[in-house]
Amino acid sequence: MDNHLKNDRAAWIQGPSAHCSVIPSKLARAWRLVLLGAPGVGKGTQAERLCAHLGACHLSTGDVFRAAAANRAAAATPAMQAALECMREGKLVGDSTVWELVRERGGCLRCNGGFVLDGFPRTLRQAEALQLLMKEQGVALDAVLDYELPTDEIMSRLGGRRVCPACKAVFHLVERPPQISGVCDLCGGRLIQREDDRPEAIAVRLEAYESATQPLIEFYRKLGLLAPISAEGTPDKVFARTLKALHVTA
Ligand code: AMP
């Protein structure tokens, strides 16, 4: 199933006035998934793989904020400026700002290709609002994948992460070092540490995850949607567990 054309996610990243490069035709099975798990468990990597495998779109709210940070016009509103300040410090952006952004992208939730939500919802209010909106739109979640990893492993994954701002490749100082220190293997770009991967911000993000996002595990368990998955080991191993949890063939 890896032969789906990759959608550029324009309607998600830039907002509903933008048009995606590929509008999926109705798939026999449009998957609608939410990924949960602390920052650093590898949700982004699993989301990318799932989307390639299932033909769905990777909907990350963090990507929307990062794209806005790189775009002067989008970052100009007071709400977005406040949101970007929260992001730099590792704090959660306020529910109303996040919800405004997701609500206006509601078309992506109805899209024929399905979706993998990564980084949203992160609070009970967001999860409740999402349930309501999806119900109004006549669509439903298939599953919520909860990636589990011990805290010391999370700290080491986040602290060692280096990313290429040019091509978005992700490296790790110990587990996946670039061939030349500080230089992207794929495009030669200069690797950076995300502002929110600095130690002060990591501590704030983990605290936010524990207090705000962990209650979602119970919320989705009660809805019968929760699938816990160990995030230990290589991305390949985690992906194999993910497909197994969804009863999808590799
Ligand atoms: P992520 O890439 O998902 O780790 O998101 C990066 C940052 O964007 C987070 O640390 C928050 O500051 C902000 N953010 C992204 N999604 C949400 C959300 N659903 N609720 C609140 N803040 C969010």
Side-chain angles (χ1 to χ4, degrees):
M1 272 200 260
D2 280 345
N3 57 353
H4 295 289
L5 291 173
K6 193 168 161 53
N7 190 329
D8 64 358
R9 304 182 297 159
W12 178 257
I13 299 291
Q14 295 160 38
S17 57
H19 294 284
C20 294
S21 58
V22 178
I23 306 290
S25 49
K26 203 165 173 57
L27 296 174
R29 177 84 160 89
W31 286 88
R32 297 194 168 89
L33 303 171
V34 164
L35 305 193
L36 285 184
V41 296
K43 296 189 298 294
T45 305
Q46 295 303 314
E48 289 289 336
R49 291 188 174 206
L50 271 170
C51 288
H53 201 80
L54 305 174
C57 223
H58 180 188
L59 306 184
S60 149
T61 36
D63 280 353
V64 177
F65 289 127
R66 280 183 285 277
N71 172 330
R72 229 173 236 268
T77 67
M80 191 50 89
Q81 280 185 2
L84 297 180
E85 183 58 30
C86 286
M87 189 168 86
R88 277 189 286 275
E89 291 172 5
K91 291 183 192 155
L92 289 187
V93 174
D95 281 336
S96 56
T97 303
V98 178
W99 182 242
E100 178 67 19
L101 181 150
V102 173
R103 198 180 47 80
E104 68 177 23
R105 288 164 174 74
C108 295
L109 304 178
R110 287 193 302 275
C111 178
N112 284 331
F115 60 77
V116 177
L117 270 172
D118 161 21
F120 179 88
R122 258 177 158 103
T123 66
L124 268 178
R125 281 185 66 195
Q126 293 177 12
E128 283 161 359
L130 176 67
Q131 283 299 105
L132 216 63
L133 181 67
M134 290 187 67
K135 201 168 167 200
E136 276 166 25
Q137 299 194 339
V139 288
L141 289 176
D142 293 293
V144 174
L145 306 175
D146 178 31
Y147 291 96
E148 300 173 333
L149 198 65
T151 309
D152 52 344
E153 176 83 4
I154 291 174
M155 299 292 286
S156 124
R157 283 197 191 177
L158 286 175
R161 180 157 72 176
R162 296 294 180 273
V163 297
C164 174
C167 74
K168 312 280 179 245
V170 181
F171 296 86
H172 189 276
L173 294 182
V174 181
E175 277 156 34
R176 197 189 163 209
Q179 285 171 2
I180 303 171
S181 170
V183 179
C184 176
D185 288 353
L186 305 184
C187 76
R190 198 174 59 84
L191 300 181
I192 59 158
Q193 182 170 41
R194 267 171 50 170
E195 262 180 301
D196 58 354
D197 279 348
R198 296 180 201 283
E200 328 70 89
I202 292 177
V204 177
R205 287 164 73 198
L206 288 178
E207 213 297 295
Y209 174 74
E210 268 166 40
S211 58
T213 311
Q214 260 179 353
L216 297 193
I217 295 174
E218 210 35 51
F219 176 84
Y220 285 120
R221 199 197 313 276
K222 282 191 187 139
L223 291 176
L225 289 169
L226 195 78
I229 297 174
S230 161
E232 290 194 72
T234 63
D236 282 350
K237 287 205 171 117
V238 181
F239 190 55
R241 284 179 211 130
T242 301
L243 293 183
K244 198 169 167 204
L246 294 174
H247 308 288
V248 169
T249 47

